[in-house]
């Protein structure tokens, strides 16, 4: 495949939900896979939905996700400007060009007039669409209405007979009856272009060769192609992606408050894990592998693996992928990202953060589940002695008291209070007493934490808490058990 120019053209209407980000990801991958260019264009002509600072959110999201653009509003490029509202003159000019070609026309119908005619049509069982009332106005009639200052829109003149066929890289060839196509508006009454028209004009002007977007635009694509043909422009390749669903019936959507990229980041997911997961939403790689870096995705991605069916956003699958990324981080990397969450979860600061982070790393699905694992660090909660009873470890409350009374003097005498030093002392004790590891170590874990599940075992907890606190807790546990 030749070098492709792809684009991501979001509207600054709020946060970026995961379906939009997946579209950007696929566009980025296809550009880089072919040695081409990934273009960022901001489509801000829908001023009613425009949100201040939303463009900054788009920039931040793409940069954090590693989807760096080759051309765009902030860095420029040979096809600038890359903001739709800065290209306004081109849209009216091109619409008037279509009018001259006979492929578009001025429409002076008011909304009330159209609604009234559509109501009459639907009473008879006809699907409501614009009836072409102004389609055949004479040139003189049009000029008179324009001279009188009558408000107008410019509509695309659709063929009334025959069919239009287009080819999609995912869905194959699709044919529609031209009689089903409405004469869509190209320029609105306020002079602003519609989304559909501006897209075509800009994609051609920026030499976009592959358009990647959601499958909801499949029905609009014949209209796009008729515009390309009317202008005499080359038609780009199309790749429509199936929707991302939150369940079998409902799509993920901004208006419903569904998860955005930054919502997921705030919940403790890693950017690379989110991107990895989004790539798999609707694309099946060859083989069983599921963990890919962005460079590996570029290498492995193949359009033949993109499904035509909707994909359901599976938070459990994201949790798994995120946990794999966490496990593969170095101790230093994990401590850096985990420390703010560790310090949320406890007040004491005289602990060994490195050992705590190493203990958390294999047990952490996402960063925001760290604080709830650390409630015992500030103080041992009130607990029942039944926690000492563990069938697998063959422990009881009575045996635990015996084990802790053996452990206390060994640890009180220990000078090398490091993980290795505590480990050596405990396993020397186990060997001397000729007992099983769990019989000796499970009571230590309970005594130090007072909870059934902890990040690490008794030895890690002792190293994390320090000697004074550990000895104090063991003594308290002994008293509790007596």
């Amino acid at each position: 495949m030749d070098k492709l120019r792809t684009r991501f053209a979001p509207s600054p209407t709020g946060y970026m939900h995961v379906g939009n980000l997946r579209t950007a990801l696929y566009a980025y991958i296809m550009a880089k896979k072919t040695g081409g260019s990934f273009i960022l264009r901001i489509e801000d002509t829908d001023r009613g939905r425009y949100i201040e600072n939303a463009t900054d959110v788009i920039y931040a999201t793409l940069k954090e996700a590693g989807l760096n653009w080759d051309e765009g509003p902030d860095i420029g490029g040979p096809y600038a400007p890359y903001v739709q509202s800065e290209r306004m003159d081109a849209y009216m000019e091109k619409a008037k060009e279509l009018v001259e070609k006979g492929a578009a026309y001025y429409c002076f119908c008011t909304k009330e007039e159209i609604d009234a005619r559509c109501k009459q049509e639907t009473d008879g069982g006809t699907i409501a669409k614009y009836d072409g009332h102004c389609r055949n106005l004479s040139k003189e009639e049009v000029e008179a209405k324009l001279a009188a200052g009558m408000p107008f829109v410019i509509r695309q003149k659709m063929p009334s007979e025959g069919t239009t066929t287009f080819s999609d890289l995912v869905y194959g060839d699709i044919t529609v009856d031209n009689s089903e196509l409405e004469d869509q508006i190209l320029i609105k009454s306020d002079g602003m272009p519609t989304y559909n028209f501006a897209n075509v004009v800009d994609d051609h002007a920026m030499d976009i060769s592959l358009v990647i977007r959601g499958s909801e635009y499949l029905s609009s694509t014949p209209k796009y192609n008729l515009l390309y043909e009317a202008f005499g422009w080359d038609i780009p390749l199309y790749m429509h992606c199936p929707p991302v669903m939150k369940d079998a019936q409902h799509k993920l959507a901004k208006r419903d408050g569904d998860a955005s990229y930054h919502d997921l980041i705030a919940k403790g997911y890693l950017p690379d894990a989110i991107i990895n997961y989004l790539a798999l939403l609707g694309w099946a790689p060859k083989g069983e592998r599921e963990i890919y870096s962005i460079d590996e995705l570029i290498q492995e991605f193949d359009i033949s693996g993109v499904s035509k069916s909707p994909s359901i956003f599976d938070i459990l699958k994201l949790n798994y992928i995120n946990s794999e990324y966490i496990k593969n981080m170095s101790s230093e990397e994990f401590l850096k990202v985990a420390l703010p969450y560790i310090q949320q979860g406890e007040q004491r600061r005289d602990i060994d953060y490195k050992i705590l982070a190493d203990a958390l790393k294999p047990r952490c699905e996402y960063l925001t589940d760290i604080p709830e694992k650390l409630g015992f660090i500030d103080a041992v909660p009130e607990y029942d002695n039944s926690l000492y009873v563990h069938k697998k470890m063959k422990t009881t409350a009575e045996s635990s008291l015996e084990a802790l009374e053996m452990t206390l003097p060994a640890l009180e005498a220990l000078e090398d209070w490091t993980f290795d030093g505590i480990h050596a002392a405990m396993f020397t004790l186990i060997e001397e007493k000729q007992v099983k590891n769990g019989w000796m170590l499970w009571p230590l874990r309970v005594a130090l934490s007072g909870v059934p599940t902890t990040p690490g075992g008794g030895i890690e907890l002792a190293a994390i808490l320090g000697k004074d606190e550990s000895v104090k807790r063991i003594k308290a546990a002994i008293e509790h058990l007596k």
Side-chain angles (χ1 to χ4, degrees), residues 333-346:
E333 288 172 330
F334 180 68
L335 177 57
K336 184 177 179 181
V337 298
L339 191 57
Y341 298 91
I342 292 173
Q343 292 182 336
Q344 277 180 34
E346 47 82 24

Side-chain angles (χ1 to χ4, degrees), residues 5 16 19 22 54 129 131 163 220 231 233 262 282 296 317 325 354 372 376 401 417 461 467 469:
R5 285 180 60 81
M16 192 184 299
R22 186 192 61 173
K129 66 176 185 177
D131 60 0
T163 60
S220 298
F231 281 119
W233 295 340
H262 280 108
E296 290 168 335
K317 182 70 168 289
Y325 271 83
K354 184 179 184 307
E372 67 186 35
F376 68 91
L401 175 59
W417 197 271
L461 297 183
K467 183 174 182 177
E469 182 68 16

Side-chain angles (χ1 to χ4, degrees), residues 251-472:
K251 286 171 53 176
L252 287 176
K254 283 184 187 180
R255 69 179 70 90
D256 296 328
D258 290 323
S260 72
Y261 169 82
H262 280 108
D263 287 335
L264 294 176
I265 292 295
K267 289 176 182 175
Y269 294 97
L270 302 172
D272 290 347
I274 296 171
I275 286 297
N276 188 155
Y277 175 66
L278 291 184
L280 301 177
L281 268 179
W283 171 66
K286 294 171 183 174
E288 300 300 316
R289 184 179 172 192
E290 293 184 309
I291 306 301
Y292 294 91
S293 68
I294 187 67
D295 290 338
E296 290 168 335
L297 285 171
I298 291 167
Q299 184 70 28
E300 296 295 327
F301 188 84
D302 191 300
I303 291 174
S304 65
V306 178
S307 172
K308 298 176 185 177
S309 303
S311 301
I312 294 178
F313 190 87
D314 182 354
I315 197 69
L316 297 179
K317 182 70 168 289
L318 175 58
N319 288 351
Y320 162 72
I321 289 176
N322 200 67
S323 69
E324 290 298 301
Y325 271 83
I326 287 174
K327 287 173 190 172
N328 290 328
M329 296 175 88
S330 69
S331 295
E332 292 75 18
E333 288 172 330
F334 180 68
L335 177 57
K336 184 177 179 181
V337 298
L339 191 57
Y341 298 91
I342 292 173
Q343 292 182 336
Q344 277 180 34
E346 47 82 24
Q347 300 302 315
R348 296 177 61 242
R349 294 293 184 263
D350 56 336
I351 61 172
D352 192 316
Y353 287 116
K354 184 179 184 307
I355 294 176
L356 177 56
D358 285 345
L360 283 166
K361 193 155 78 81
R363 300 168 175 86
C364 184
E365 286 192 325
Y366 44 92
L367 298 175
T368 48
D369 71 354
I370 289 175
E372 67 186 35
K373 297 178 187 294
L374 305 182
F376 68 91
I377 286 183
D378 192 39
V380 178
E382 293 237 2
Y383 64 93
D384 191 281
N385 286 348
S386 63
L387 278 180
Y388 288 103
V389 180
H390 197 298
K391 189 174 181 181
K392 184 179 177 182
M393 304 298 180
K394 296 183 170 53
T395 60
T396 63
E398 292 76 16
S399 71
S400 295
L401 175 59
E402 185 181 353
L404 290 174
E405 287 179 331
M406 295 175 186
T407 298
L408 180 59
L411 294 186
E412 278 187 310
L414 183 63
E415 295 183 4
D416 179 19
W417 197 271
T418 61
F419 175 84
D420 289 341
I422 300 165
H423 187 278
M426 289 304 298
F427 275 84
T428 297
L429 184 62
I430 287 167
E431 188 174 347
E432 285 177 359
K433 302 298 183 182
Q434 293 292 294
V435 294
K436 297 288 187 182
N437 296 353
W439 187 92
M440 185 70 77
L441 297 176
W442 179 257
L444 178 61
R445 178 192 284 214
V446 175
L448 295 179
S449 70
V451 293
T453 305
T454 57
I459 293 172
E460 286 97 336
L461 297 183
I464 291 163
L465 293 169
K467 183 174 182 177
D468 290 347
E469 182 68 16
S470 296
V471 168
K472 177 178 141 187

Side-chain angles (χ1 to χ4, degrees), residues 45-336:
T45 53
D46 188 348
R47 304 310 290 182
R49 296 176 60 220
Y50 179 84
I51 293 178
E52 196 70 33
N53 300 321
T55 300
D56 293 334
V57 173
I58 293 167
Y59 291 158
T61 300
L62 294 178
K63 286 177 181 176
E64 286 177 30
L67 308 183
N68 296 308
W69 49 99
D70 301 296
E71 302 168 27
D74 57 334
I75 59 176
Y79 300 93
Y82 294 90
V83 177
Q84 212 169 60
S85 60
E86 297 173 15
R87 304 174 59 83
M88 293 303 299
D89 291 345
Y91 308 125
M92 183 62 80
E93 177 188 326
K94 289 300 179 185
K96 289 180 177 179
E97 183 181 325
L98 288 178
V99 172
E100 292 298 316
K101 290 174 178 283
Y105 59 93
Y106 290 96
C107 172
F108 301 93
C109 297
T110 65
K111 182 179 184 302
E112 291 73 22
E113 290 170 340
I114 294 172
D115 288 346
R117 292 199 298 270
C118 283
K119 187 174 185 301
Q120 291 175 359
E121 289 182 6
T122 52
D123 287 344
T126 305
I127 296 175
K129 66 176 185 177
Y130 180 67
D131 60 0
H133 182 80
C134 293
R135 186 177 171 120
N136 297 313
L137 292 176
S138 67
K139 186 175 181 181
E140 292 74 22
E141 288 176 299
V142 170
E143 288 176 351
K145 290 177 183 292
L146 291 175
M150 287 185 66
F152 67 86
V153 300
I154 297 180
R155 290 183 181 272
Q156 182 179 359
K157 186 181 287 186
M158 298 296 179
S160 57
E161 299 177 347
T163 60
T164 297
T165 299
F166 69 95
S167 183
D168 182 79
L169 295 175
V170 174
Y171 290 87
D173 290 343
I174 297 176
T175 300
V176 298
D177 290 328
N178 291 333
S179 61
E180 297 176 2
L181 301 178
E182 184 175 16
D183 288 357
Q184 68 174 344
I185 294 173
L186 305 180
I187 300 293
K188 295 179 282 189
S189 58
D190 60 2
M192 299 290 276
T194 59
Y195 173 85
N196 288 336
F197 185 53
N199 254 275
V200 169
V201 172
D202 289 344
D203 284 345
H204 171 74
M206 296 179 186
D207 199 24
I208 302 302
S209 54
L210 171 62
V211 173
I212 300 177
R213 58 186 172 221
S215 60
E216 65 269 26
Y217 292 103
L218 277 169
S219 62
S220 298
T221 302
K223 302 175 186 178
Y224 298 155
N225 281 9
L226 288 167
L227 285 172
Y228 280 106
E229 290 172 359
F231 281 119
W233 295 340
D234 290 336
I235 295 173
L237 297 170
Y238 293 112
M239 175 181 164
H240 288 84
C241 304
V244 178
M245 313 287 285
K246 63 181 175 184
D247 55 43
Q249 285 80 38
H250 303 95
K251 286 171 53 176
L252 287 176
K254 283 184 187 180
R255 69 179 70 90
D256 296 328
D258 290 323
S260 72
Y261 169 82
H262 280 108
D263 287 335
L264 294 176
I265 292 295
K267 289 176 182 175
Y269 294 97
L270 302 172
D272 290 347
I274 296 171
I275 286 297
N276 188 155
Y277 175 66
L278 291 184
L280 301 177
L281 268 179
W283 171 66
K286 294 171 183 174
E288 300 300 316
R289 184 179 172 192
E290 293 184 309
I291 306 301
Y292 294 91
S293 68
I294 187 67
D295 290 338
E296 290 168 335
L297 285 171
I298 291 167
Q299 184 70 28
E300 296 295 327
F301 188 84
D302 191 300
I303 291 174
S304 65
V306 178
S307 172
K308 298 176 185 177
S309 303
S311 301
I312 294 178
F313 190 87
D314 182 354
I315 197 69
L316 297 179
K317 182 70 168 289
L318 175 58
N319 288 351
Y320 162 72
I321 289 176
N322 200 67
S323 69
E324 290 298 301
Y325 271 83
I326 287 174
K327 287 173 190 172
N328 290 328
M329 296 175 88
S330 69
S331 295
E332 292 75 18
E333 288 172 330
F334 180 68
L335 177 57
K336 184 177 179 181

